[in-house]
């Protein structure tokens, strides 16, 4: 399964795009639409490069989600799990109770698991809480809520 355009727009609205490196709330060096692999301090990229990183990063996440999830999902459920995994990493999905719940087929309980992942360390972060609630609503109800009307690139400058 592939992430829908609505799913990509959802992810973009929560990630935002910065063309210069920054540290996310988890202190990870990041650039573009939440890209972290091989990012260096003071790196600067173009919008085209940021968009290309996003495509590759989403493809990698889709590969992992496809391999790990054994239950058939509807498009909006797939998009919610890809958004979650894009933000938190596929290793967290692999080790999560949420994956066990999904693979048990008890899809009514997945949103409870999604919402649990709103912390950095042991402290809830408002932006993560908002994103997890939107992902849970997307999973349960197919509502593609976006943080902003249109995702915009930011130059950090």
């Amino acid at each position: 399964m592939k992430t829908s355009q609505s799913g990509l727009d959802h992810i973009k609205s929560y990630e935002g795009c910065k063309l210069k490196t920054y540290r996310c709330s988890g202190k990870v060096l990041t650039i573009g639409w939440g890209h972290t692999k091989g990012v260096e301090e003071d790196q600067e990229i173009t919008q085209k490069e940021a968009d290309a990183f996003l495509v590759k990063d989403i493809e990698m996440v889709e590969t992992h989600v496809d391999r790990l999830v054994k239950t058939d999902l509807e498009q909006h459920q797939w998009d919610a799990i890809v958004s979650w995994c894009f933000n938190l990493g596929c290793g967290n999905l692999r080790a999560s109770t949420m994956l066990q719940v999904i693979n048990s087929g008890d899809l009514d309980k997945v949103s409870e698991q999604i919402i649990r992942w709103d912390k950095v360390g042991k402290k809830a972060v408002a932006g993560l809480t908002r994103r997890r609630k939107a992902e849970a609503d997307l999973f349960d109800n197919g509502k593609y809520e976006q943080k902003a009307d249109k995702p915009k690139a930011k130059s950090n400058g």
Side-chain angles (χ1 to χ4, degrees):
M1 187 172 270
K2 294 289 182 189
T3 306
S4 70
Q5 186 60 54
S6 294
L8 287 174
D9 290 345
H10 171 89
I11 291 167
K12 288 169 118 179
S13 77
Y14 281 92
E15 291 294 333
C17 184
K18 295 182 181 177
L19 302 178
K20 293 181 182 178
T21 53
Y22 66 97
R23 293 207 181 261
C24 70
S25 60
K27 308 292 184 227
V28 176
L29 203 54
T30 308
I31 200 164
W33 300 102
H35 179 74
T36 59
K37 187 174 182 179
V39 177
E40 299 173 5
E41 289 282 354
D42 300 319
Q43 186 176 352
E44 196 167 340
I45 60 173
T46 66
Q47 186 64 52
K48 187 175 180 178
E49 289 171 313
D51 293 344
F53 282 145
L54 178 64
V55 168
K56 284 188 173 200
D57 291 344
I58 291 293
E59 287 174 353
M60 182 203 64
V61 170
E62 289 169 339
T63 298
H64 287 287
V65 172
D66 189 52
R67 182 174 45 81
L68 294 169
V69 171
K70 306 300 181 199
T71 300
D72 290 337
L73 299 177
E74 294 180 26
Q75 184 67 57
H76 62 94
Q77 294 169 324
W78 171 269
D79 290 348
I81 299 305
V82 168
S83 175
W84 185 97
C85 197
F86 182 84
N87 184 239
L88 293 165
C90 295
N92 281 322
L93 177 63
R94 184 176 45 254
S96 72
T97 301
M98 183 174 75
L99 181 63
Q100 294 172 17
V101 171
I102 292 169
N103 286 339
S104 76
D106 197 0
L107 300 182
D108 290 340
K109 293 195 166 96
V110 173
S111 61
E112 296 169 18
Q113 296 299 316
I114 290 172
I115 290 171
R116 294 178 57 211
W117 291 79
D118 69 341
K119 296 168 184 64
V120 174
K122 294 186 180 199
K123 185 176 179 181
V125 175
L128 291 177
T129 300
R130 197 169 32 254
R131 182 173 183 162
R132 297 292 95 83
K133 285 180 179 178
E135 289 164 347
D137 195 32
L138 175 56
F139 191 91
D140 285 344
N141 304 311
K143 293 182 182 174
Y144 287 88
E145 177 187 316
Q146 293 184 11
K147 181 178 167 187
D149 288 339
K150 290 183 181 178
K152 295 181 181 174
K154 298 175 190 167
S155 66
N156 292 21

